[in-house]
PDB file of all heavy atoms in Angstrom:
ATOM      1  N   LEU A1359      26.543 -70.665  27.075  1.00  0.00           N
ATOM      2  CA  LEU A1359      26.998 -69.609  27.969  1.00  0.00           C
ATOM      3  C   LEU A1359      26.605 -68.229  27.436  1.00  0.00           C
ATOM      4  O   LEU A1359      26.216 -67.343  28.207  1.00  0.00           O
ATOM      5  CB  LEU A1359      28.515 -69.704  28.142  1.00  0.00           C
ATOM      6  CG  LEU A1359      29.116 -68.961  29.339  1.00  0.00           C
ATOM      7  CD1 LEU A1359      28.433 -69.383  30.635  1.00  0.00           C
ATOM      8  CD2 LEU A1359      30.611 -69.217  29.429  1.00  0.00           C
ATOM      9  N   MET A1360      26.693 -68.037  26.111  1.00  0.00           N
ATOM     10  CA  MET A1360      26.281 -66.772  25.508  1.00  0.00           C
ATOM     11  C   MET A1360      24.801 -66.508  25.772  1.00  0.00           C
ATOM     12  O   MET A1360      24.409 -65.401  26.182  1.00  0.00           O
ATOM     13  CB  MET A1360      26.544 -66.799  24.001  1.00  0.00           C
ATOM     14  CG  MET A1360      27.994 -66.635  23.600  1.00  0.00           C
ATOM     15  SD  MET A1360      28.237 -66.872  21.812  1.00  0.00           S
ATOM     16  CE  MET A1360      27.051 -65.693  21.131  1.00  0.00           C
ATOM     17  N   SER A1361      23.972 -67.518  25.533  1.00  0.00           N
ATOM     18  CA  SER A1361      22.532 -67.355  25.724  1.00  0.00           C
ATOM     19  C   SER A1361      22.194 -67.140  27.197  1.00  0.00           C
ATOM     20  O   SER A1361      21.392 -66.272  27.548  1.00  0.00           O
ATOM     21  CB  SER A1361      21.792 -68.583  25.185  1.00  0.00           C
ATOM     22  OG  SER A1361      20.407 -68.462  25.396  1.00  0.00           O
ATOM     23  N   PHE A1362      22.840 -67.926  28.052  1.00  0.00           N
ATOM     24  CA  PHE A1362      22.581 -67.800  29.482  1.00  0.00           C
ATOM     25  C   PHE A1362      22.955 -66.407  29.989  1.00  0.00           C
ATOM     26  O   PHE A1362      22.193 -65.766  30.720  1.00  0.00           O
ATOM     27  CB  PHE A1362      23.368 -68.864  30.248  1.00  0.00           C
ATOM     28  CG  PHE A1362      23.269 -68.719  31.739  1.00  0.00           C
ATOM     29  CD1 PHE A1362      22.115 -69.093  32.414  1.00  0.00           C
ATOM     30  CD2 PHE A1362      24.312 -68.183  32.485  1.00  0.00           C
ATOM     31  CE1 PHE A1362      22.005 -68.949  33.791  1.00  0.00           C
ATOM     32  CE2 PHE A1362      24.217 -68.029  33.851  1.00  0.00           C
ATOM     33  CZ  PHE A1362      23.062 -68.416  34.509  1.00  0.00           C
ATOM     34  N   THR A1363      24.132 -65.919  29.594  1.00  0.00           N
ATOM     35  CA  THR A1363      24.601 -64.609  30.042  1.00  0.00           C
ATOM     36  C   THR A1363      23.661 -63.501  29.565  1.00  0.00           C
ATOM     37  O   THR A1363      23.336 -62.571  30.309  1.00  0.00           O
ATOM     38  CB  THR A1363      26.029 -64.342  29.537  1.00  0.00           C
ATOM     39  OG1 THR A1363      26.894 -65.401  29.987  1.00  0.00           O
ATOM     40  CG2 THR A1363      26.550 -63.013  30.039  1.00  0.00           C
ATOM     41  N   LYS A1364      23.217 -63.611  28.309  1.00  0.00           N
ATOM     42  CA  LYS A1364      22.301 -62.606  27.754  1.00  0.00           C
ATOM     43  C   LYS A1364      20.974 -62.602  28.515  1.00  0.00           C
ATOM     44  O   LYS A1364      20.465 -61.536  28.897  1.00  0.00           O
ATOM     45  CB  LYS A1364      22.061 -62.896  26.275  1.00  0.00           C
ATOM     46  CG  LYS A1364      21.097 -61.929  25.601  1.00  0.00           C
ATOM     47  CD  LYS A1364      20.913 -62.274  24.139  1.00  0.00           C
ATOM     48  CE  LYS A1364      20.219 -63.604  23.959  1.00  0.00           C
ATOM     49  NZ  LYS A1364      19.983 -63.938  22.544  1.00  0.00           N
ATOM     50  N   ASN A1365      20.416 -63.783  28.751  1.00  0.00           N
ATOM     51  CA  ASN A1365      19.128 -63.865  29.440  1.00  0.00           C
ATOM     52  C   ASN A1365      19.261 -63.509  30.916  1.00  0.00           C
ATOM     53  O   ASN A1365      18.333 -62.927  31.498  1.00  0.00           O
ATOM     54  CB  ASN A1365      18.547 -65.274  29.283  1.00  0.00           C
ATOM     55  CG  ASN A1365      17.982 -65.505  27.898  1.00  0.00           C
ATOM     56  OD1 ASN A1365      16.951 -64.953  27.537  1.00  0.00           O
ATOM     57  ND2 ASN A1365      18.649 -66.316  27.101  1.00  0.00           N
ATOM     58  N   LEU A1366      20.401 -63.836  31.513  1.00  0.00           N
ATOM     59  CA  LEU A1366      20.633 -63.450  32.903  1.00  0.00           C
ATOM     60  C   LEU A1366      20.696 -61.928  33.020  1.00  0.00           C
ATOM     61  O   LEU A1366      20.131 -61.339  33.948  1.00  0.00           O
ATOM     62  CB  LEU A1366      21.929 -64.075  33.410  1.00  0.00           C
ATOM     63  CG  LEU A1366      22.340 -63.703  34.837  1.00  0.00           C
ATOM     64  CD1 LEU A1366      21.305 -64.188  35.842  1.00  0.00           C
ATOM     65  CD2 LEU A1366      23.712 -64.281  35.168  1.00  0.00           C
ATOM     66  N   GLY A1367      21.377 -61.272  32.067  1.00  0.00           N
ATOM     67  CA  GLY A1367      21.460 -59.816  32.073  1.00  0.00           C
ATOM     68  C   GLY A1367      20.091 -59.173  31.961  1.00  0.00           C
ATOM     69  O   GLY A1367      19.796 -58.194  32.668  1.00  0.00           O
ATOM     70  N   LYS A1368      19.248 -59.713  31.079  1.00  0.00           N
ATOM     71  CA  LYS A1368      17.889 -59.170  30.932  1.00  0.00           C
ATOM     72  C   LYS A1368      17.079 -59.395  32.207  1.00  0.00           C
ATOM     73  O   LYS A1368      16.311 -58.519  32.632  1.00  0.00           O
ATOM     74  CB  LYS A1368      17.185 -59.840  29.743  1.00  0.00           C
ATOM     75  CG  LYS A1368      15.814 -59.244  29.436  1.00  0.00           C
ATOM     76  CD  LYS A1368      15.181 -59.895  28.237  1.00  0.00           C
ATOM     77  CE  LYS A1368      13.855 -59.204  27.877  1.00  0.00           C
ATOM     78  NZ  LYS A1368      12.908 -59.150  29.007  1.00  0.00           N
ATOM     79  N   PHE A1369      17.257 -60.567  32.818  1.00  0.00           N
ATOM     80  CA  PHE A1369      16.550 -60.864  34.063  1.00  0.00           C
ATOM     81  C   PHE A1369      16.945 -59.875  35.149  1.00  0.00           C
ATOM     82  O   PHE A1369      16.097 -59.354  35.883  1.00  0.00           O
ATOM     83  CB  PHE A1369      16.883 -62.294  34.500  1.00  0.00           C
ATOM     84  CG  PHE A1369      16.119 -62.766  35.701  1.00  0.00           C
ATOM     85  CD1 PHE A1369      14.885 -63.371  35.564  1.00  0.00           C
ATOM     86  CD2 PHE A1369      16.641 -62.608  36.984  1.00  0.00           C
ATOM     87  CE1 PHE A1369      14.174 -63.815  36.680  1.00  0.00           C
ATOM     88  CE2 PHE A1369      15.945 -63.036  38.094  1.00  0.00           C
ATOM     89  CZ  PHE A1369      14.711 -63.641  37.940  1.00  0.00           C
ATOM     90  N   GLU A1370      18.248 -59.570  35.246  1.00  0.00           N
ATOM     91  CA  GLU A1370      18.724 -58.623  36.253  1.00  0.00           C
ATOM     92  C   GLU A1370      18.195 -57.215  35.970  1.00  0.00           C
ATOM     93  O   GLU A1370      17.835 -56.481  36.898  1.00  0.00           O
ATOM     94  CB  GLU A1370      20.249 -58.621  36.292  1.00  0.00           C
ATOM     95  CG  GLU A1370      20.845 -59.893  36.886  1.00  0.00           C
ATOM     96  CD  GLU A1370      22.354 -59.893  36.888  1.00  0.00           C
ATOM     97  OE1 GLU A1370      22.949 -59.587  35.833  1.00  0.00           O
ATOM     98  OE2 GLU A1370      22.960 -60.206  37.936  1.00  0.00           O
ATOM     99  N   ASP A1371      18.149 -56.831  34.685  1.00  0.00           N
ATOM    100  CA  ASP A1371      17.610 -55.515  34.329  1.00  0.00           C
ATOM    101  C   ASP A1371      16.139 -55.406  34.718  1.00  0.00           C
ATOM    102  O   ASP A1371      15.698 -54.383  35.270  1.00  0.00           O
ATOM    103  CB  ASP A1371      17.772 -55.262  32.825  1.00  0.00           C
ATOM    104  CG  ASP A1371      19.214 -55.016  32.423  1.00  0.00           C
ATOM    105  OD1 ASP A1371      20.032 -54.704  33.309  1.00  0.00           O
ATOM    106  OD2 ASP A1371      19.521 -55.156  31.221  1.00  0.00           O
ATOM    107  N   ASP A1372      15.357 -56.463  34.413  1.00  0.00           N
ATOM    108  CA  ASP A1372      13.931 -56.466  34.764  1.00  0.00           C
ATOM    109  C   ASP A1372      13.747 -56.427  36.285  1.00  0.00           C
ATOM    110  O   ASP A1372      12.813 -55.784  36.784  1.00  0.00           O
ATOM    111  CB  ASP A1372      13.246 -57.715  34.195  1.00  0.00           C
ATOM    112  CG  ASP A1372      13.157 -57.681  32.675  1.00  0.00           C
ATOM    113  OD1 ASP A1372      13.339 -56.595  32.092  1.00  0.00           O
ATOM    114  OD2 ASP A1372      12.927 -58.744  32.068  1.00  0.00           O
ATOM    115  N   MET A1373      14.631 -57.120  36.993  1.00  0.00           N
ATOM    116  CA  MET A1373      14.552 -57.136  38.458  1.00  0.00           C
ATOM    117  C   MET A1373      14.819 -55.737  39.023  1.00  0.00           C
ATOM    118  O   MET A1373      14.125 -55.277  39.940  1.00  0.00           O
ATOM    119  CB  MET A1373      15.562 -58.143  39.018  1.00  0.00           C
ATOM    120  CG  MET A1373      15.478 -58.324  40.532  1.00  0.00           C
ATOM    121  SD  MET A1373      16.797 -59.394  41.152  1.00  0.00           S
ATOM    122  CE  MET A1373      18.183 -58.229  41.100  1.00  0.00           C
ATOM    123  N   ARG A1374      15.833 -55.038  38.466  1.00  0.00           N
ATOM    124  CA  ARG A1374      16.126 -53.685  38.931  1.00  0.00           C
ATOM    125  C   ARG A1374      14.967 -52.736  38.645  1.00  0.00           C
ATOM    126  O   ARG A1374      14.630 -51.878  39.463  1.00  0.00           O
ATOM    127  CB  ARG A1374      17.411 -53.177  38.268  1.00  0.00           C
ATOM    128  CG  ARG A1374      18.687 -53.711  38.915  1.00  0.00           C
ATOM    129  CD  ARG A1374      19.915 -53.004  38.368  1.00  0.00           C
ATOM    130  NE  ARG A1374      20.214 -53.427  37.001  1.00  0.00           N
ATOM    131  CZ  ARG A1374      21.012 -54.443  36.710  1.00  0.00           C
ATOM    132  NH1 ARG A1374      21.575 -55.153  37.671  1.00  0.00           N
ATOM    133  NH2 ARG A1374      21.262 -54.758  35.452  1.00  0.00           N
ATOM    134  N   THR A1375      14.341 -52.894  37.469  1.00  0.00           N
ATOM    135  CA  THR A1375      13.185 -52.070  37.124  1.00  0.00           C
ATOM    136  C   THR A1375      12.045 -52.291  38.108  1.00  0.00           C
ATOM    137  O   THR A1375      11.389 -51.339  38.549  1.00  0.00           O
ATOM    138  CB  THR A1375      12.710 -52.393  35.690  1.00  0.00           C
ATOM    139  OG1 THR A1375      13.771 -52.108  34.768  1.00  0.00           O
ATOM    140  CG2 THR A1375      11.493 -51.560  35.313  1.00  0.00           C
ATOM    141  N   LEU A1376      11.846 -53.555  38.470  1.00  0.00           N
ATOM    142  CA  LEU A1376      10.796 -53.883  39.439  1.00  0.00           C
ATOM    143  C   LEU A1376      11.109 -53.294  40.807  1.00  0.00           C
ATOM    144  O   LEU A1376      10.217 -52.772  41.485  1.00  0.00           O
ATOM    145  CB  LEU A1376      10.650 -55.407  39.536  1.00  0.00           C
ATOM    146  CG  LEU A1376       9.563 -55.948  40.473  1.00  0.00           C
ATOM    147  CD1 LEU A1376       8.185 -55.467  40.032  1.00  0.00           C
ATOM    148  CD2 LEU A1376       9.603 -57.474  40.504  1.00  0.00           C
ATOM    149  N   ARG A1377      12.367 -53.332  41.206  1.00  0.00           N
ATOM    150  CA  ARG A1377      12.768 -52.786  42.507  1.00  0.00           C
ATOM    151  C   ARG A1377      12.578 -51.276  42.556  1.00  0.00           C
ATOM    152  O   ARG A1377      12.183 -50.716  43.586  1.00  0.00           O
ATOM    153  CB  ARG A1377      14.221 -53.145  42.799  1.00  0.00           C
ATOM    154  CG  ARG A1377      14.708 -52.681  44.179  1.00  0.00           C
ATOM    155  CD  ARG A1377      16.067 -53.272  44.489  1.00  0.00           C
ATOM    156  NE  ARG A1377      17.048 -52.918  43.480  1.00  0.00           N
ATOM    157  CZ  ARG A1377      18.123 -53.655  43.200  1.00  0.00           C
ATOM    158  NH1 ARG A1377      18.335 -54.797  43.829  1.00  0.00           N
ATOM    159  NH2 ARG A1377      18.985 -53.266  42.277  1.00  0.00           N
ATOM    160  N   GLU A1378      12.834 -50.593  41.441  1.00  0.00           N
ATOM    161  CA  GLU A1378      12.693 -49.137  41.391  1.00  0.00           C
ATOM    162  C   GLU A1378      11.238 -48.691  41.521  1.00  0.00           C
ATOM    163  O   GLU A1378      10.966 -47.521  41.800  1.00  0.00           O
ATOM    164  CB  GLU A1378      13.292 -48.610  40.091  1.00  0.00           C
ATOM    165  CG  GLU A1378      14.823 -48.705  40.047  1.00  0.00           C
ATOM    166  CD  GLU A1378      15.391 -48.429  38.666  1.00  0.00           C
ATOM    167  OE1 GLU A1378      14.568 -48.184  37.742  1.00  0.00           O
ATOM    168  OE2 GLU A1378      16.623 -48.460  38.499  1.00  0.00           O
ATOM    169  N   LYS A1379      10.310 -49.612  41.326  1.00  0.00           N
ATOM    170  CA  LYS A1379       8.888 -49.284  41.428  1.00  0.00           C
ATOM    171  C   LYS A1379       8.333 -49.522  42.828  1.00  0.00           C
ATOM    172  O   LYS A1379       7.112 -49.492  43.042  1.00  0.00           O
ATOM    173  CB  LYS A1379       8.085 -50.111  40.416  1.00  0.00           C
ATOM    174  CG  LYS A1379       8.405 -49.795  38.956  1.00  0.00           C
ATOM    175  CD  LYS A1379       7.566 -50.648  38.013  1.00  0.00           C
ATOM    176  CE  LYS A1379       7.868 -50.309  36.552  1.00  0.00           C
ATOM    177  NZ  LYS A1379       7.065 -51.150  35.621  1.00  0.00           N
ATOM    178  N   ARG A1380       9.228 -49.752  43.804  1.00  0.00           N
ATOM    179  CA  ARG A1380       8.774 -50.162  45.138  1.00  0.00           C
ATOM    180  C   ARG A1380       7.971 -49.082  45.878  1.00  0.00           C
ATOM    181  O   ARG A1380       7.286 -49.393  46.853  1.00  0.00           O
ATOM    182  CB  ARG A1380       9.962 -50.591  45.996  1.00  0.00           C
ATOM    183  CG  ARG A1380      11.010 -49.526  46.242  1.00  0.00           C
ATOM    184  CD  ARG A1380      12.227 -50.129  46.975  1.00  0.00           C
ATOM    185  NE  ARG A1380      13.279 -49.150  47.252  1.00  0.00           N
ATOM    186  CZ  ARG A1380      14.211 -48.808  46.390  1.00  0.00           C
ATOM    187  NH1 ARG A1380      14.207 -49.357  45.169  1.00  0.00           N
ATOM    188  NH2 ARG A1380      15.136 -47.933  46.716  1.00  0.00           N
ATOM    189  N   THR A1381       8.070 -47.824  45.421  1.00  0.00           N
ATOM    190  CA  THR A1381       7.297 -46.765  46.080  1.00  0.00           C
ATOM    191  C   THR A1381       5.921 -46.585  45.441  1.00  0.00           C
ATOM    192  O   THR A1381       5.115 -45.791  45.923  1.00  0.00           O
ATOM    193  CB  THR A1381       8.054 -45.422  46.020  1.00  0.00           C
ATOM    194  OG1 THR A1381       8.314 -45.094  44.645  1.00  0.00           O
ATOM    195  CG2 THR A1381       9.377 -45.518  46.779  1.00  0.00           C
ATOM    196  N   GLU A1382       5.658 -47.327  44.373  1.00  0.00           N
ATOM    197  CA  GLU A1382       4.380 -47.181  43.685  1.00  0.00           C
ATOM    198  C   GLU A1382       3.296 -48.014  44.367  1.00  0.00           C
ATOM    199  O   GLU A1382       3.592 -49.063  44.956  1.00  0.00           O
ATOM    200  CB  GLU A1382       4.521 -47.597  42.216  1.00  0.00           C
ATOM    201  CG  GLU A1382       5.497 -46.731  41.422  1.00  0.00           C
ATOM    202  CD  GLU A1382       5.607 -47.172  39.972  1.00  0.00           C
ATOM    203  OE1 GLU A1382       4.853 -48.102  39.573  1.00  0.00           O
ATOM    204  OE2 GLU A1382       6.432 -46.599  39.233  1.00  0.00           O
ATOM    205  N   PRO A1383       2.034 -47.572  44.292  1.00  0.00           N
ATOM    206  CA  PRO A1383       0.927 -48.325  44.894  1.00  0.00           C
ATOM    207  C   PRO A1383       0.816 -49.723  44.255  1.00  0.00           C
ATOM    208  O   PRO A1383       0.993 -49.889  43.055  1.00  0.00           O
ATOM    209  CB  PRO A1383      -0.307 -47.470  44.560  1.00  0.00           C
ATOM    210  CG  PRO A1383       0.238 -46.095  44.288  1.00  0.00           C
ATOM    211  CD  PRO A1383       1.591 -46.297  43.685  1.00  0.00           C
ATOM    212  N   GLY A1384       0.562 -50.711  45.093  1.00  0.00           N
ATOM    213  CA  GLY A1384       0.356 -52.060  44.586  1.00  0.00           C
ATOM    214  C   GLY A1384       1.617 -52.884  44.448  1.00  0.00           C
ATOM    215  O   GLY A1384       1.556 -54.071  44.091  1.00  0.00           O
ATOM    216  N   TRP A1385       2.782 -52.263  44.714  1.00  0.00           N
ATOM    217  CA  TRP A1385       4.053 -53.004  44.618  1.00  0.00           C
ATOM    218  C   TRP A1385       4.107 -54.056  45.721  1.00  0.00           C
ATOM    219  O   TRP A1385       3.787 -53.780  46.886  1.00  0.00           O
ATOM    220  CB  TRP A1385       5.223 -52.042  44.751  1.00  0.00           C
ATOM    221  CG  TRP A1385       6.564 -52.649  44.404  1.00  0.00           C
ATOM    222  CD1 TRP A1385       7.140 -52.714  43.182  1.00  0.00           C
ATOM    223  CD2 TRP A1385       7.499 -53.233  45.319  1.00  0.00           C
ATOM    224  NE1 TRP A1385       8.372 -53.323  43.258  1.00  0.00           N
ATOM    225  CE2 TRP A1385       8.627 -53.657  44.568  1.00  0.00           C
ATOM    226  CE3 TRP A1385       7.499 -53.466  46.698  1.00  0.00           C
ATOM    227  CZ2 TRP A1385       9.732 -54.277  45.140  1.00  0.00           C
ATOM    228  CZ3 TRP A1385       8.609 -54.084  47.278  1.00  0.00           C
ATOM    229  CH2 TRP A1385       9.696 -54.486  46.500  1.00  0.00           C
ATOM    230  N   SER A1386       4.495 -55.266  45.375  1.00  0.00           N
ATOM    231  CA  SER A1386       4.493 -56.370  46.340  1.00  0.00           C
ATOM    232  C   SER A1386       5.913 -56.813  46.660  1.00  0.00           C
ATOM    233  O   SER A1386       6.653 -57.242  45.767  1.00  0.00           O
ATOM    234  CB  SER A1386       3.697 -57.548  45.773  1.00  0.00           C
ATOM    235  OG  SER A1386       3.884 -58.719  46.552  1.00  0.00           O
ATOM    236  N   PHE A1387       6.285 -56.719  47.936  1.00  0.00           N
ATOM    237  CA  PHE A1387       7.599 -57.202  48.340  1.00  0.00           C
ATOM    238  C   PHE A1387       7.705 -58.709  48.132  1.00  0.00           C
ATOM    239  O   PHE A1387       8.761 -59.225  47.746  1.00  0.00           O
ATOM    240  CB  PHE A1387       7.869 -56.859  49.811  1.00  0.00           C
ATOM    241  CG  PHE A1387       9.187 -57.418  50.311  1.00  0.00           C
ATOM    242  CD1 PHE A1387      10.383 -56.766  50.043  1.00  0.00           C
ATOM    243  CD2 PHE A1387       9.227 -58.609  51.024  1.00  0.00           C
ATOM    244  CE1 PHE A1387      11.600 -57.290  50.476  1.00  0.00           C
ATOM    245  CE2 PHE A1387      10.433 -59.131  51.465  1.00  0.00           C
ATOM    246  CZ  PHE A1387      11.627 -58.470  51.192  1.00  0.00           C
ATOM    247  N   CYS A1388       6.617 -59.421  48.400  1.00  0.00           N
ATOM    248  CA  CYS A1388       6.640 -60.882  48.251  1.00  0.00           C
ATOM    249  C   CYS A1388       6.921 -61.276  46.799  1.00  0.00           C
ATOM    250  O   CYS A1388       7.706 -62.200  46.536  1.00  0.00           O
ATOM    251  CB  CYS A1388       5.312 -61.479  48.709  1.00  0.00           C
ATOM    252  SG  CYS A1388       5.030 -61.327  50.492  1.00  0.00           S
ATOM    253  N   GLU A1389       6.302 -60.574  45.864  1.00  0.00           N
ATOM    254  CA  GLU A1389       6.541 -60.854  44.450  1.00  0.00           C
ATOM    255  C   GLU A1389       7.990 -60.560  44.085  1.00  0.00           C
ATOM    256  O   GLU A1389       8.649 -61.344  43.396  1.00  0.00           O
ATOM    257  CB  GLU A1389       5.603 -60.027  43.577  1.00  0.00           C
ATOM    258  CG  GLU A1389       5.801 -60.252  42.076  1.00  0.00           C
ATOM    259  CD  GLU A1389       4.908 -59.364  41.232  1.00  0.00           C
ATOM    260  OE1 GLU A1389       3.912 -58.833  41.766  1.00  0.00           O
ATOM    261  OE2 GLU A1389       5.221 -59.192  40.035  1.00  0.00           O
ATOM    262  N   TYR A1390       8.484 -59.437  44.582  1.00  0.00           N
ATOM    263  CA  TYR A1390       9.865 -59.077  44.284  1.00  0.00           C
ATOM    264  C   TYR A1390      10.837 -60.073  44.925  1.00  0.00           C
ATOM    265  O   TYR A1390      11.857 -60.437  44.331  1.00  0.00           O
ATOM    266  CB  TYR A1390      10.175 -57.668  44.793  1.00  0.00           C
ATOM    267  CG  TYR A1390      11.616 -57.287  44.573  1.00  0.00           C
ATOM    268  CD1 TYR A1390      12.060 -56.879  43.314  1.00  0.00           C
ATOM    269  CD2 TYR A1390      12.550 -57.389  45.603  1.00  0.00           C
ATOM    270  CE1 TYR A1390      13.390 -56.566  43.088  1.00  0.00           C
ATOM    271  CE2 TYR A1390      13.879 -57.074  45.394  1.00  0.00           C
ATOM    272  CZ  TYR A1390      14.299 -56.674  44.136  1.00  0.00           C
ATOM    273  OH  TYR A1390      15.616 -56.384  43.922  1.00  0.00           O
ATOM    274  N   PHE A1391      10.523 -60.525  46.130  1.00  0.00           N
ATOM    275  CA  PHE A1391      11.372 -61.495  46.826  1.00  0.00           C
ATOM    276  C   PHE A1391      11.550 -62.751  45.978  1.00  0.00           C
ATOM    277  O   PHE A1391      12.675 -63.283  45.858  1.00  0.00           O
ATOM    278  CB  PHE A1391      10.747 -61.861  48.176  1.00  0.00           C
ATOM    279  CG  PHE A1391      11.550 -62.874  48.961  1.00  0.00           C
ATOM    280  CD1 PHE A1391      12.498 -62.457  49.881  1.00  0.00           C
ATOM    281  CD2 PHE A1391      11.354 -64.235  48.770  1.00  0.00           C
ATOM    282  CE1 PHE A1391      13.247 -63.379  50.596  1.00  0.00           C
ATOM    283  CE2 PHE A1391      12.106 -65.168  49.479  1.00  0.00           C
ATOM    284  CZ  PHE A1391      13.049 -64.736  50.400  1.00  0.00           C
ATOM    285  N   MET A1392      10.465 -63.237  45.376  1.00  0.00           N
ATOM    286  CA  MET A1392      10.529 -64.454  44.563  1.00  0.00           C
ATOM    287  C   MET A1392      11.450 -64.268  43.356  1.00  0.00           C
ATOM    288  O   MET A1392      12.174 -65.179  42.951  1.00  0.00           O
ATOM    289  CB  MET A1392       9.128 -64.847  44.093  1.00  0.00           C
ATOM    290  CG  MET A1392       8.175 -65.172  45.224  1.00  0.00           C
ATOM    291  SD  MET A1392       8.671 -66.618  46.182  1.00  0.00           S
ATOM    292  CE  MET A1392       8.323 -67.911  44.996  1.00  0.00           C
TER     293      MET A1392
END
């Protein structure tokens, strides 16, 4: 549970970073959707 929670938190942080780049050229909604 400790490892899962830590990796889930990092995954969510990376996902938010990717979402914040949605106005940049080349950003793919399909990639973000996955």
Side-chain angles (χ1 to χ4, degrees):
L1359 197 54
M1360 284 173 54
S1361 178
F1362 174 75
T1363 303
K1364 179 180 66 178
N1365 285 289
L1366 177 63
K1368 185 178 185 305
F1369 185 88
E1370 289 179 311
D1371 288 342
D1372 291 344
M1373 185 186 77
R1374 281 189 287 269
T1375 299
L1376 182 61
R1377 183 170 58 206
E1378 289 169 359
K1379 295 180 179 179
R1380 61 187 180 276
T1381 58
E1382 298 180 4
W1385 191 88
S1386 169
F1387 176 81
C1388 292
E1389 179 183 342
Y1390 177 78
F1391 179 92
M1392 298 296 288

